[in-house]
Amino acid sequence: MKNFLVVLEQRDGCLKRSSVDVWNAVQELASVCSARVCGLLPGGCSPLPLSLLSGSGVIHTVADEVLSRYLPDAYAEVVSNVAAETEADDIFMAATAMGKDLAPRIAMRTGAALVSDCSLAAGSGGSLSASTMLYAGSVSARAETRGERTLYVLRPSPVSSRTLRQGTVETRPRRSGISEDTRWNPVMEKLVRFAEGKKDIAEADIVVAGGRGVGSAAGFSLLEALADTLGAAVGASRSAVDEGWRPHAEQIGQTGRAVAPALYIACGISGAVQHLAGIAGAGTIVAINRDPDAPIFGVSDYGIVGDIEDIVPGLEHAVRSRLGRND
Amino acid sequence: MEIAVCINQVPDTGSAIVVRDGAVDATRLNMVMNPYDEYAVEEALRFRERFAESRVTVFSAGGEDRCDILRKAMAMGADGACLVESSVAGDSFSTASILCGAIKRYYARRPDLVICGRESVDCNRAEVPLMMAEMLGMASLSAVASLTAHEGYLEVKREVEGGVEEYVLEMPAVISVEKGLNMPRKTNIKAVMQARKKTIDRMDGLHVEAPKVVYAELAAVERKRACRFVDSVEELADLLQQTTGLLT
C-alpha cells in the first residue's frame, strides 16, 4: 500500500482553502490507488475544520511558535523529516506562493522528482498520471517521473461537485524536531496583509477581473462594487497591472497567478493566451467586452457586448435584485 | 561582491507555439533572453553600481546559440559571460546540476549572490533557482518582488495570497526575481558593438544529473467554449442564477 503525504498550509491558524482542496483531491485519488493518506500542517491550526476534510487519515500538526509563519528552511526540514518517518511514496501540496517556494527545497532534500503546477488523475493499476501546461498555458504535457518518490504541486482546480465521503480525520500534535537555537536564513520579519475583508483571487468562488478595457484605475471601482455584491474577489489582466491600475498580486495569467473560481467574469479583457492560462480551471466564464471580435468570447460560456461603464453597474443591479438586496 | 546571474534562452513571447507529433516545432521560433532574466541582469548591475569592486558574471547552459543572449547581457553591462556547454536537454534538476557545477568551478569560493529570473517562460517551472541553491548549499528565496541591499544582507519582499511577506536574507544567497522588480535598461548600438568583441568564457565536461521528469505527449491546448451572447444584464443574471446556483 502506498503512502501519500499532504503538506497543508495555514495563515493565522486558519487552514487555507487551497489546502482543503488538495487534501480532498488526494483522498479521491487515494481511494482509487488504495493509498494511505496522512497530512502535515506546519504551524498548527486550532481547531482544524474537520467537517471540510473528507476521507480518513491522520493530520500531524507541528505547532512550534517559530513555524507559525512560513520559514523556508525550517519548513523544508520538518516536511522532509516527516516524509521520511511516514515513508511517504508521494508528497502533495497546493501551488500557492508558499508551495512554489517550498516544493523544490523538499524535492532536493527527499530525492523526489518534482512535478510543479500539475493536475492529477488516477490511472490504470493505481498509478498517478500528472498533466501540466507549458509555454504559457498554450501546450499541455504529461509529466513522466523517474525514481521512487514524487512531489506533486497541484494547480488550483474546481472543487469536485461529487459528494465527498464524510471524513474520519484525526489530528495528532507532534514535535518538530528542530532546534530552537537554529539561526534560520531567510527569516520572515513581517507579513503585511491587504485590507481586511478583501478576498484573495485564489480563494474566492467568484472572481471579477478587469483588463485594459476598464480604462483606468478609477474604472475598477465599478468592478469592486460588483465584486462586493457578489462576494467576489477582484483580479486583473497583465495590461491592467502594467498600466499601474492594480497591484501585481491581483494579476491573473501566466506571469501572475492561476485561479479556479466557479464563476469568472472578465471585464474588458481581450483574452491573450497568457491570460487564459491563468483561468484554465475556471467554471463558468462570462465575458463583457466592447469588441465583439475579442478572443475572450471564444473561450467564454456567456458573452455580452458593450461598454464596461454600462454593463457592470447594470449587472450589479440585476444581481442585487436577485439576491433580494435592493435598496 | 561577486554576483552570478543565470540566464536562459526562450522563444519570443510573441511567437506562436506549434506542436507537431508531440513536440514543439522549434524551427521557426525566434529565441530571446528569458524576460524574467532581464530583471535578474538589471538587478545584478544595480548591485555593482552600489557596491564597489563588484563583478557581474552571466551563465547560460546549452549550445553555441546561447552566445546571443550572453552578449546581450554584456551589452547591458555584465563584466563577464560563461557558456556552459551542454547538449543534454534535461529537466530542472539536470539544469540546476550543471549550473551548480559551473558556478563551483568558476568561483574560488561561492559567489555572494546568485540571481535568476523567477521562471523561464517556456517551461514555467520556477524550479531551477531553488534547486541550484540547495545544491550549492546557499540560502535562497524565490519570486522576489522588491529588494533593498545592505552590507551582507538583503531586505526582500514577496507577494503572496492576500499580502506581502517581508524577509531578511543574509548573503551568500540565491534569489529568483519577479517581474516588476526593476526596469531593465535598454542596450544601445555602441554597447552592442562592444559586447560583440568581448570574449565569452567556455566550460565543458561538467557533470549533468539525469532528468527525473520527462514531459511527453505535448499537445496544443484547446480552450474553445460555445459562447452564448446575451442582450441584457437581466438575461445574463437569470442565466447565471440558473446555471451556477451562485446568485441565490
Side-chain angles (χ1 to χ4, degrees), chain A residues 11 101 116 135 137 189 283, chain B residues 122 127 142 161 166 223 225:
Chain A
R11 174 168 308 160
D101 188 82
S116 293
Y135 296 94
E189 299 281 292
Chain B
D122 50 0
E127 297 165 346
S142 67
E161 296 80 16
E166 302 186 8
R223 301 187 192 282
R225 295 191 187 192

Side-chain angles (χ1 to χ4, degrees), chain A residues 31-122:
Chain A
S31 65
V32 182
C33 306
S34 61
R36 197 183 290 122
V37 185
C38 72
L40 169 62
L41 179 63
C45 174
S46 55
L48 262 181
L50 292 175
S51 61
L52 299 176
L53 302 171
S54 69
S56 59
V58 173
I59 293 180
H60 302 276
T61 57
V62 189
D64 297 33
E65 179 63 29
V66 70
L67 300 176
S68 62
R69 284 198 300 227
Y70 179 46
L71 186 57
D73 253 345
Y75 271 49
E77 188 173 321
V78 169
V79 175
S80 304
N81 290 344
V82 172
E85 284 165 36
T86 58
E87 294 173 359
D89 293 290
D90 293 310
I91 308 170
F92 306 82
M93 60 178 77
T96 57
M98 183 195 96
K100 291 176 192 173
D101 188 82
L102 181 57
R105 302 171 196 268
I106 294 169
M108 291 300 301
R109 291 174 200 210
T110 59
L114 174 60
V115 184
S116 293
D117 196 37
C118 67
S119 327
L120 283 173

Side-chain angles (χ1 to χ4, degrees), chain B residues 172-240:
Chain B
V174 178
I175 57 171
S176 78
V177 300
E178 183 60 272
K179 171 192 163 191
L181 175 68
N182 52 43
M183 187 77 84
R185 63 196 67 187
K186 301 281 177 220
T187 52
N188 59 44
I189 301 281
K190 194 178 158 209
V192 170
M193 297 304 283
Q194 280 170 346
R196 267 194 211 163
K197 291 182 204 134
K198 288 188 183 157
T199 330
I200 292 176
D201 292 331
R202 275 149 210 277
M203 245 183 227
D204 59 10
L206 284 160
H207 172 72
V208 190
E209 294 279 358
K212 290 188 175 186
V213 184
V214 174
Y215 299 96
E217 297 167 24
L218 269 61
V221 174
E222 188 53 73
R223 301 187 192 282
K224 284 257 168 291
R225 295 191 187 192
C227 184
R228 175 166 170 188
F229 283 93
V230 297
D231 296 321
S232 72
V233 289
E234 295 296 332
E235 189 186 350
L236 179 59
D238 284 338
L239 282 167
L240 291 179

